[in-house]
Amino acid sequence: MKVVLLLSLVLGLLGTGCKKNETNSGGNSSTPTIPTVTTANESVVTSNSLTTGGNVTSDGGSAILARGVCWRSINSAPTINDTKTVDGVGTGTFSSVISGVSPFTAYYVRAYATNAVGTAYGNEIVVLTKPGLVLSVTDVYEENNIRKCDLQISIKGFSDPSSLAVTQTGVCWGKSQNPTTADSKVLSGPVSVIYTRFTLTLFFGINSTYYIRPFATTSAGTTYGNQVTYTTGVDIGLSHEGGIIFYIDNTGQHGLVAAPTDQGTAVPWAPGNLFTTVTNASSYTDGVGNTTKIITKYGASGSYAAKLCKDYRGGGFTDWYLPAADQVFRMKIHQDVIGGFHGSAFLANYYYWSSSENNYFSAWGYELNPRYTTVSAFDKSNLLYVRAIRNF
């Protein structure tokens, strides 16, 4: 009886082992494979975008790590190494929006799905985008201390450009990505030919990164082109905070800006009969302190050099002042980039007041005609030119 029982146990164990080996030898059903995915037909097609998607019908036994569509316009069979969208994970249907494509161009599109085993691709579709505008900022540069950009606009897919009815074109920019026409912009005008190139002047601040995009508006709406990134520095001649930079201090980040135009052309240093009253505005470098002393002594009424500068509101700023003698000299050196001066007319005299008092009845004025380097003490009742400056 014991022998029979032992034999049964041995046979039972052998039988169990054989069944386990059979399962392993046919184990393909438990080994993960790449997913199964199909590509959806396009649903919405414009001149610069198209909407498609796909359906991941099987994850292949391994979780879907990424899914989306990939595309290219030159050759068929795009892969995830080309341009692609990423539209979530898991099985099921998904929608993909392809943006930034060119008008009237054929694109090869395939859905894809990726798991731990690899990437599978769906069937390929070919989509022709609608005719439209091709917009491109090709360069951003500085020319004579003015920032400019080149904008190229062409119309693709239309035999008659006027049929597109472009009403407005230009570039827009801001400190956040993907600026729109609601941000800063400069216009180039309507487009009525197949290809047009514009050069536009941009007004940027200093020490900032800007994002720039071209745009065009038709009856169908506004289309945007490529985005360009441009970072500004601090340079003499640049527009900044209501004026033009003409001096940069040792920090490389701060200095002086001058108003772009004169605040007066025939202005006394002292008002009325106060031209013999001492103000003690004797600094050759501190125009702020000098201006405060002058106005404190002469008052807020009347029209005189320091007050005209203090009252100036260029750029919305309230801290303009009459420059000290050394500051006028620095302004004279860079008057060509500041602008608004009279040039070099032969034998003409263009004296500008400084805020530096010489004595009880005179103050210092500089000749800004570049032909001369004269600095003179003038009676405070003399009528000279005035140009305000401020710190930044």
Side-chain angles (χ1 to χ4, degrees):
M1 186 69 176
K2 291 181 178 179
V3 173
V4 173
L5 180 60
L6 180 61
L7 181 60
S8 298
L9 290 172
V10 171
L11 291 173
L13 289 172
L14 289 173
T16 302
C18 290
K19 288 179 181 178
K20 185 174 183 180
N21 287 339
E22 273 182 10
T23 301
N24 285 341
S25 64
N28 290 336
S29 60
S30 62
T31 301
T33 63
I34 62 173
T36 303
V37 59
T38 60
T39 306
N41 290 326
E42 75 279 3
S43 58
V44 178
V45 180
T46 70
S47 60
N48 58 8
S49 69
L50 58 97
T51 302
T52 180
N55 184 13
V56 182
T57 57
S58 172
D59 62 10
S62 178
I64 300 299
L65 303 175
R67 65 187 187 183
V69 296
C70 51
W71 71 93
R72 61 188 177 194
S73 62
I74 303 300
N75 299 308
S76 61
T79 71
I80 58 174
N81 294 322
D82 297 302
T83 311
K84 67 179 185 294
T85 65
V86 178
D87 302 298
V89 296
T91 59
T93 60
F94 61 90
S95 179
S96 301
V97 177
I98 298 175
S99 58
V101 292
S102 297
F104 205 58
T105 303
Y107 286 91
Y108 301 93
V109 182
R110 291 198 297 179
Y112 74 88
T114 302
N115 63 12
V117 178
T119 298
Y121 296 95
N123 54 298
E124 181 177 271
I125 63 173
V126 181
V127 183
L128 178 65
T129 54
K130 292 185 177 181
L133 293 166
V134 179
L135 307 171
S136 177
V137 170
T138 58
D139 192 18
V140 181
Y141 56 96
E142 291 185 16
E143 184 177 89
N144 297 324
N145 291 305
I146 298 174
R147 297 187 185 94
K148 297 183 177 182
C149 77
D150 286 339
L151 167 63
Q152 292 185 356
I153 301 176
S154 59
I155 299 175
K156 193 172 183 180
F158 284 91
S159 58
D160 178 13
S162 62
S163 64
L164 195 54
V166 179
T167 58
Q168 192 177 77
T169 61
V171 295
C172 54
W173 68 87
K175 292 185 178 181
S176 299
Q177 294 201 40
N178 300 317
T180 70
T181 54
D183 298 301
S184 298
K185 64 178 180 290
V186 59
L187 305 179
S188 61
V191 175
S192 58
V193 296
I194 296 295
Y195 174 85
T196 304
R197 177 178 178 177
F198 301 95
T199 298
L200 306 174
T201 300
L202 309 179
F203 301 96
F204 293 158
I206 64 173
N207 279 350
S208 300
T209 296
Y210 290 90
Y211 300 95
I212 309 162
R213 287 202 300 175
F215 69 88
T217 301
T218 69
S219 59
T222 299
T223 300
Y224 296 93
N226 65 312
Q227 177 174 278
V228 175
T229 303
Y230 185 78
T231 300
T232 62
V234 181
D235 294 298
I236 288 174
L238 295 181
S239 298
H240 181 58
E241 294 185 344
I244 309 297
I245 298 174
F246 70 94
Y247 170 70
I248 301 170
D249 65 19
N250 291 333
T251 68
Q253 307 298 314
H254 303 285
L256 301 172
V257 298
T261 58
D262 294 334
Q263 278 58 68
T265 58
V267 182
W269 199 88
N273 60 357
L274 298 178
F275 61 91
T276 59
T277 301
V278 176
T279 66
N280 293 316
S282 57
S283 175
Y284 282 80
T285 58
D286 181 15
V288 174
N290 285 347
T291 299
T292 299
K293 290 177 180 179
I294 295 168
I295 293 177
T296 299
K297 180 64 68 173
Y298 291 158
S301 62
S303 179
Y304 57 97
K307 184 174 182 297
L308 285 178
C309 292
K310 185 64 177 176
D311 291 344
Y312 181 59
R313 294 294 181 266
F317 293 91
T318 61
D319 56 351
W320 295 91
Y321 59 89
L322 183 63
D326 183 65
Q327 293 168 328
V328 178
F329 176 72
R330 293 180 184 277
M331 188 166 59
K332 174 185 174 69
I333 293 173
H334 295 293
Q335 62 177 292
D336 56 331
V337 297
I338 296 172
F341 296 105
H342 297 276
S344 56
F346 185 67
L347 296 180
N349 297 117
Y350 305 123
Y351 282 98
Y352 280 74
W353 280 123
S354 80
S355 60
S356 302
E357 189 176 58
N358 178 44
N359 55 37
Y360 71 93
F361 68 87
S362 67
W364 294 103
Y366 270 88
E367 168 63 84
L368 260 70
N369 187 327
R371 292 179 180 272
Y372 309 103
T373 58
T374 307
V375 56
S376 303
F378 290 90
D379 290 352
K380 295 176 183 177
S381 59
N382 278 19
L383 304 180
L384 306 184
Y385 291 85
V386 175
R387 182 70 67 98
I389 69 171
R390 61 178 300 273
N391 302 333
F392 72 91

